[in-house]
Amino acid sequence: MTELLIKRLGLHGDGIAEGPVYVPRVLPGETVEGRIDGQMLHDVKVLRPSDRRVSAPCPHYKSCGGCQLQHADDAFVADWKVDVVRQALSSHNLETVFREIETSPPKSRRRAGFAARRTKKGAMVGFHGRASDTIIPVERCEILDPGVLQGARIAEELAIAGASRKTALAVSVTLGKSGLDVAASKGKPLDGPLRQRLAAICEAEVIARLSWDDEIVAVRTPPLYEFDRISVSPPPGAFLQATLHGEAALLSAVREITRGAGRIVDLFAGCGTFALPLARHSEVHAVEGDGDMIAALDAGWRHADGLKNVTTETRDLFRRPLVPMELTKVDAVVLDPPRAGAEAQVVELAKADVRRLAYVSCNPVTFARDAAVLCAAGYVLDWVQVVDQFRWSAHVELAASFTAAHMR
Ligand SMILES: C[S@@+](CC[C@H](N)C(=O)[O-])C[C@H]1O[C@@H](n2cnc3c(N)ncnc32)[C@H](O)[C@@H]1O
């Protein structure tokens, strides 16, 4: 057994001791002992706990892979998440003002991915265990909206109907205004009898829509989501912010940054989380790589009353970012890229003449890289609002305000 002192937490929430040796579910300042295997410490026993340690609220925390930070008090997690962003910026010599973090309440996540494996007696459903393929059945969950947790029973029925013996069925369940939107993948190929069984499950379980490997097999009622009371019906598996609270916090920051803009471009627009609410006061051009999502955004705009003009474009912004000529007469740009960030797009933004930028990010590392490009080109990073909609995980999200320095 080796005794180690935990120096800090890494980006995945693991403790890091001298070596480096990575130790899961510990806190800085704790002395721990365990068995070293490569760069990992196993069979960890905490000898001297931190005074920030708390007992995890969830009985499944030890085995389930869903949460990483339930053993720390809320203030520790909040400070750590803000510090992850501060450190990422500081590695590019950037500093800014941090607003108080917004943390989503427990039991508010609206989407879950269940794993469901067929067994001799039926099916086993749950979440993947920590760093393993083992399925951990979960009767309780502190992060999911209880309506989403109901999806576990549906996942079980779907696995009995159509999981192969070898692979676990992956079942994504999203809670919207009109009920559960369920999408299964990695199951048996669809044939006539399976279609019939799936349609019967959809009816009996009051599922809004059921998809199987990207094909919609049954719709009882089109799944609806509201962005600031504007209804949209996204395609199966479309991106949505993880919690209503997180969505509202991000939207509030984006609204503040773009306030007064006559014309806004929303890049990586998804199904219109920002574009549609912003269209209450501004004209918006929404650009997104996924054609089905942008079609949902467009339909949402067409069915809504009282919005200003919204134009849409399906475009790969990694390969074909908007260039300065396309950004003339644009007062503000919103960008909310995937984890890879928006490297090609910020190079073009840096050459353009847009006064205000609202950058929403789910990856502090790529955000800081892109922020450095913008700041080198004369933008000022006014403030960052960290938003924690993945409570108790190591995931960090944020909205940031940039203003063109010569236009301040
Ligand atoms: C973090 S989501 C944000 C979506 C939307 N802003 C929202 O809040 O709901 C990132 C979006 O970028 C889109 N995307 C990913 N890669 C892209 C690319 N190369 N070009 C354009 N859009 C892309 C995804 O389809 C997804 O909708």
Side-chain angles (χ1 to χ4, degrees):
M1 286 290 179
T2 310
E3 200 173 302
L4 296 170
L5 175 67
I6 304 303
K7 304 252 180 204
R8 61 191 173 87
L9 298 192
L11 282 180
H12 300 294
D14 276 0
I16 302 181
E18 186 107 14
V21 177
Y22 298 94
V23 190
R25 300 186 180 201
V26 292
L27 294 173
E30 291 189 323
T31 306
V32 300
E33 87 173 359
R35 183 175 48 80
I36 292 188
D37 181 6
Q39 286 192 302
M40 288 293 295
L41 194 73
H42 295 279
D43 306 326
V44 180
K45 192 170 159 202
V46 178
L47 301 176
R48 270 184 293 282
S50 156
D51 55 6
R52 314 305 299 271
R53 182 172 276 277
V54 294
S55 25
C58 176
H60 307 294
Y61 182 56
K62 266 201 174 140
S63 48
C64 177
C67 291
Q68 290 80 43
L69 290 165
Q70 282 199 8
H71 59 285
D73 67 46
D74 287 353
F76 175 91
V77 177
D79 290 347
W80 179 74
K81 292 207 174 189
V82 171
D83 212 47
V84 165
V85 184
R86 190 179 281 120
Q87 300 265 349
L89 287 171
S90 132
S91 71
H92 292 274
N93 298 317
L94 297 176
E95 284 179 359
T96 192
V97 174
F98 282 87
R99 294 186 164 185
E100 196 174 329
I101 188 170
E102 284 281 351
T103 303
S104 294
K107 301 188 178 175
S108 65
R109 193 90 66 82
R110 62 174 157 185
R111 172 172 286 171
F114 295 99
R117 193 183 294 283
R118 251 175 75 198
T119 59
K120 278 193 184 140
K121 289 190 187 151
M124 178 187 259
V125 178
F127 297 130
H128 283 294
R130 260 201 301 149
S132 84
D133 263 355
T134 317
I135 295 173
I136 310 292
V138 281
E139 290 100 50
R140 252 180 71 183
C141 178
E142 294 299 314
I143 51 174
L144 292 184
D145 184 300
V148 179
L149 199 54
Q150 305 250 327
R153 195 189 60 240
I154 295 170
E156 186 177 348
E157 288 195 45
L158 294 177
I160 293 168
S164 75
R165 280 257 179 237
K166 287 187 195 140
T167 318
L169 191 70
V171 183
S172 154
V173 176
T174 313
L175 182 62
K177 279 267 158 203
S178 47
L180 292 178
D181 189 10
V182 179
S185 57
K186 302 185 187 166
K188 287 184 191 164
L190 267 177
D191 58 13
L194 180 55
R195 270 176 209 280
Q196 278 180 3
R197 287 198 68 185
L198 295 177
I201 292 172
C202 187
E203 200 56 38
E205 290 289 352
V206 198
I207 299 169
R209 174 173 63 186
L210 178 59
S211 317
W212 195 264
D213 278 335
D214 293 336
E215 188 182 328
I216 296 172
V217 286
V219 182
R220 289 185 80 252
T221 159
L224 286 181
Y225 300 85
E226 282 186 353
F227 303 137
D228 187 27
R229 306 184 311 283
I230 304 161
S231 285
V232 170
S233 184
F239 179 90
L240 292 166
Q241 297 294 343
T243 67
L244 288 174
H245 164 274
E247 181 179 296
L250 293 171
L251 177 59
S252 161
V254 167
R255 269 204 179 110
E256 180 182 334
I257 298 162
T258 58
R259 187 162 295 137
R263 189 164 163 71
I264 298 173
V265 167
D266 181 12
L267 301 173
F268 307 94
C271 299
T273 305
F274 304 125
L276 293 172
L278 291 176
R280 291 198 189 282
H281 300 289
S282 315
E283 287 188 6
V284 180
H285 182 57
V287 187
E288 157 65 42
D290 184 299
D292 291 337
M293 283 199 235
I294 207 87
L297 189 163
D298 184 58
W301 173 68
R302 283 172 198 284
H303 286 101
D305 288 328
L307 299 187
K308 297 215 178 228
N309 199 32
V310 173
T311 50
T312 55
E313 186 179 351
T314 306
R315 179 159 166 172
D316 183 335
L317 293 166
F318 289 175
R319 288 165 190 262
R320 230 163 46 82
L322 265 69
V323 294
M325 235 176 57
E326 296 170 285
L327 293 165
T328 54
K329 300 196 185 129
V330 171
D331 304 299
V333 166
V334 179
L335 62 164
D336 180 11
R339 289 186 63 76
E343 198 166 20
Q345 185 59 73
V346 294
V347 168
E348 299 303 326
L349 281 167
K351 293 186 266 179
D353 229 4
V354 180
R355 188 167 184 276
R356 273 169 287 159
L357 305 181
Y359 192 137
V360 177
S361 165
C362 55
N363 183 347
V365 174
T366 54
F367 164 71
R369 176 202 68 199
D370 293 349
V373 174
L374 294 170
C375 292
Y379 279 96
V380 174
L381 175 53
D382 308 306
W383 49 262
V384 166
Q385 167 74 67
V386 177
V387 175
D388 185 8
Q389 44 180 347
F390 290 89
R391 198 186 175 106
W392 293 311
S393 83
H395 200 73
V396 182
E397 310 215 325
L398 64 96
S401 168
F402 293 87
T403 312
H406 62 288
M407 295 184 184
R408 272 156 79 91

